[in-house]
Amino acid sequence: MVRKDIKNLHLGVYPPNGRVRVAAPLVLSDEAVRLAVIEKLAWVKKHKARFRDQPRQSQREMINGESHYFLGQRYRLRLHERPGPSQVSLRGIGTIDIFARPGSSQEQREAILLRWYRQQLKLLLPPLLEKWQAIIGVQASSWGIKKMRTKWGSCSIKARRIWLNLELAKRPTLCLEYVLVHELVHLLERHHNERFMELLDQFMPQWRQCRDLLKEVPLGHEDWHLV
């Protein structure tokens, strides 16, 4: 539990293992916090079960035949070893080709794929950002993509900077839109309170379905650390 200068208590359950986080107002007693959490215990258990039951990929070895995801679709990896620049391309409806130098390691092949994921998100995001900033009526000063262990996205209110998780390249485009909208709405409302939910309902009425889509693609293997 963390104490913050906020008006309402906030309770969240986070991937990958259902870590529970409580943010409580400074003026709320420990006993009041305890009772509030008990009241939400069924909700917490439901969300922890979702994370527990969500399929997980084993650690990727970056070898022929492995499954990899892009925009919600599963592809089978085909590795090509050749001299020259590394490259990733999609072939047909179910193959992802990775071209790497002969003798490249698993880590090097994975880096090639992650770099390609980042490039694809950088192509997808500008038109989505333009679309949703106009709808919501806000303007982010900048945005970026990075690997995040416990969040799909984050928003620095003061800097008006948005970060999106690189893992979103594996999810359907609607998931990317939902996370983007979620973070843009934080520029209007900092907290996950009733007003925040009302704004999401106003701008993206189907946001709950998009949120559920995030759970349909197996979670990637990570050496997650809880902080």
Side-chain angles (χ1 to χ4, degrees), residues 113-173:
L113 181 59
L114 292 178
R115 185 164 59 247
W116 182 79
Y117 279 148
R118 189 181 300 274
Q119 291 168 349
Q120 300 311 302
L121 284 182
K122 286 184 175 180
L123 291 174
L124 288 167
L125 274 167
L128 293 178
L129 193 62
E130 183 179 356
K131 166 188 171 182
W132 286 106
Q133 285 183 146
I135 292 173
I136 298 171
V138 295
Q139 187 77 32
S141 63
S142 58
W143 57 271
I145 300 162
K146 63 180 177 179
K147 294 196 72 173
M148 291 186 274
R149 294 193 179 279
T150 60
K151 296 180 178 180
W152 291 112
S154 65
C155 179
S156 172
I157 307 297
K158 186 175 181 180
R160 304 184 73 82
R161 180 178 180 86
I162 288 174
W163 288 103
L164 297 173
N165 195 328
L166 182 60
E167 282 284 308
L168 286 167
K170 301 176 184 179
R171 266 59 185 175
T173 307

Side-chain angles (χ1 to χ4, degrees), residues 2-227:
V2 295
R3 294 282 186 175
K4 291 186 175 182
D5 186 16
I6 54 178
K7 293 181 179 180
N8 302 307
L9 182 141
H10 301 292
L11 183 64
V13 182
Y14 298 93
N17 298 315
R19 176 177 65 96
V20 178
R21 181 177 181 273
V22 180
L26 297 172
V27 297
L28 205 62
S29 69
D30 288 348
E31 179 63 15
V33 172
R34 187 181 71 84
L35 292 174
V37 172
I38 289 174
E39 287 181 0
K40 291 285 189 177
L41 201 55
W43 179 88
V44 169
K45 288 180 177 179
K46 181 181 72 173
H47 282 76
K48 284 178 72 69
R50 284 182 179 177
F51 288 125
R52 183 188 66 240
D53 298 337
Q54 187 170 358
R56 312 279 176 105
Q57 285 188 322
S58 59
Q59 186 168 6
R60 301 290 82 185
E61 298 180 50
M62 305 305 295
I63 57 177
N64 284 325
E66 249 183 7
S67 293
H68 290 269
Y69 287 83
F70 177 59
L71 299 185
Q73 183 174 336
R74 186 174 71 172
Y75 292 87
R76 292 293 185 182
L77 173 62
R78 182 69 177 172
L79 177 65
H80 306 268
E81 291 189 321
R82 69 175 190 188
S86 58
Q87 182 182 342
V88 176
S89 62
L90 301 179
R91 176 159 48 96
I93 60 172
T95 301
I96 185 166
D97 293 306
I98 294 184
F99 299 86
R101 293 179 181 275
S104 58
S105 66
Q106 174 265 326
E107 290 82 5
Q108 289 169 328
R109 297 168 188 172
E110 184 175 24
I112 293 169
L113 181 59
L114 292 178
R115 185 164 59 247
W116 182 79
Y117 279 148
R118 189 181 300 274
Q119 291 168 349
Q120 300 311 302
L121 284 182
K122 286 184 175 180
L123 291 174
L124 288 167
L125 274 167
L128 293 178
L129 193 62
E130 183 179 356
K131 166 188 171 182
W132 286 106
Q133 285 183 146
I135 292 173
I136 298 171
V138 295
Q139 187 77 32
S141 63
S142 58
W143 57 271
I145 300 162
K146 63 180 177 179
K147 294 196 72 173
M148 291 186 274
R149 294 193 179 279
T150 60
K151 296 180 178 180
W152 291 112
S154 65
C155 179
S156 172
I157 307 297
K158 186 175 181 180
R160 304 184 73 82
R161 180 178 180 86
I162 288 174
W163 288 103
L164 297 173
N165 195 328
L166 182 60
E167 282 284 308
L168 286 167
K170 301 176 184 179
R171 266 59 185 175
T173 307
L174 272 176
C175 295
L176 177 62
E177 288 200 65
Y178 158 61
V179 176
L180 178 61
V181 170
H182 183 109
E183 302 310 331
L184 287 173
V185 168
H186 273 307
L187 295 177
L188 297 177
E189 173 55 57
R190 178 185 297 269
H191 304 296
H192 291 124
N193 52 23
E194 288 186 11
R195 179 172 181 256
F196 182 85
M197 301 303 174
E198 289 170 358
L199 289 168
L200 278 180
D201 287 335
Q202 174 186 339
F203 297 123
M204 195 180 201
Q206 76 279 27
W207 69 268
R208 292 175 180 83
Q209 293 92 324
C210 298
R211 180 190 60 190
D212 292 340
L213 269 178
L214 281 169
K215 304 178 179 70
E216 292 188 4
V217 174
L219 287 172
H221 173 87
E222 290 283 355
D223 294 323
W224 296 82
H225 299 282
L226 300 183
V227 295

